[in-house]
Amino acid sequence: VHFHGNAGSLLHQFNAVTPLVKEGFAVFMFDYSGFGFSEGRPTRKNVLKDGNAALDYVLTNFSPAKKIVLYGQSLGGHLAGVVGAQRQNDIDALVIEGAFSSHKKVAQAFAGGFGKAFTKEMYSAKDSIAHYNKPLLVIHSTEDEVIPFEMGKEIFNKANQPKEFLEVKECHICAPNYYTQEIADRIKTM
């Protein structure tokens, strides 16, 4: 289940999953409320509901014999970490790429202390991941100019075993295009 980032919609994000489809993975994509052609407002509360609804849809409509992996990128990585921790009995593994660790931290990264002071923390990947106990792969680029590399390390450091960290180069959430085989192999191993 692919949780896309903040920029665009699933129409803009399909290139992110195409390499994984070519590696044999079946990928379910969805849009959040207010993104693409989806109705509603893109609030944090609605985005969390949307992530859970997407997982419910997959669980209801696809073979239970399939392994379910949440793969989240950027905003979607943050969200996948939260949904994965809440719903770990329903999934087999979790991949978080280029995610921010909390709303307060990303607000601080973009707007300094002012942004952090005025941002309410409804939920966070770094707090949620401490309750997740299934296989986890965290991917983050040292060249990420959108989400600081340290946030990926923070999520990883808060996580329980079994976990792996894949340090990559290249742009924000570009890893599937440059590290396709390595990511596919690690997901299959998980």
Side-chain angles (χ1 to χ4, degrees):
V1 181
H2 181 256
F3 289 59
H4 71 70
N6 188 45
S9 65
L10 64 89
L11 293 175
H12 299 97
Q13 301 287 336
F14 75 92
N15 285 331
V17 301
T18 300
L20 297 174
V21 172
K22 288 179 180 178
E23 287 296 320
F25 295 100
V27 179
F28 178 81
M29 297 179 72
F30 68 100
D31 259 337
Y32 313 116
S33 297
F35 283 72
F37 298 107
S38 295
E39 297 178 359
R41 292 182 44 231
T43 65
R44 284 183 270 171
K45 184 177 179 182
N46 285 345
V47 168
L48 181 59
K49 283 182 185 178
D50 296 338
N52 278 293
L55 180 55
D56 288 338
Y57 183 85
V58 169
L59 291 169
T60 301
N61 292 287
F62 296 96
S63 169
K66 301 285 183 191
K67 300 288 185 187
I68 296 177
V69 177
L70 303 185
Y71 192 122
Q73 295 181 299
S74 195
L75 165 76
H78 179 266
L79 180 62
V82 174
V83 173
Q86 291 176 348
R87 306 283 301 275
Q88 61 187 302
N89 291 334
D90 295 324
I91 67 172
D92 296 288
L94 174 61
V95 179
I96 297 174
E97 180 186 354
F100 56 91
S101 54
S102 72
H103 292 106
K104 284 190 173 287
K105 286 270 181 116
V106 77
Q108 182 177 9
F110 284 98
F114 181 79
K116 183 178 179 180
F118 288 97
T119 301
K120 182 179 178 185
E121 195 72 71
M122 295 175 62
Y123 50 83
S124 76
K126 72 175 177 67
D127 292 339
S128 296
I129 207 70
H131 303 286
Y132 179 77
N133 296 299
K134 289 195 169 179
L136 169 69
L137 172 60
V138 178
I139 305 167
H140 213 107
S141 174
T142 57
E143 298 175 5
D144 194 323
E145 294 182 0
V146 179
I147 303 297
F149 178 77
E150 295 75 27
M151 289 195 197
K153 291 299 284 187
E154 183 178 12
I155 292 169
F156 179 77
N157 290 336
K158 293 274 188 171
N160 299 305
Q161 292 289 348
K163 63 182 180 177
E164 286 188 77
F165 190 87
L166 177 58
E167 180 179 311
V168 297
K169 302 248 183 258
E170 307 300 335
C171 60
H172 177 62
I173 65 172
C174 294
N177 294 306
Y178 294 97
Y179 299 87
T180 309
Q181 193 62 56
E182 188 168 0
I183 292 170
D185 290 345
R186 288 186 187 215
I187 292 173
K188 289 173 185 174
T189 301
M190 292 189 326

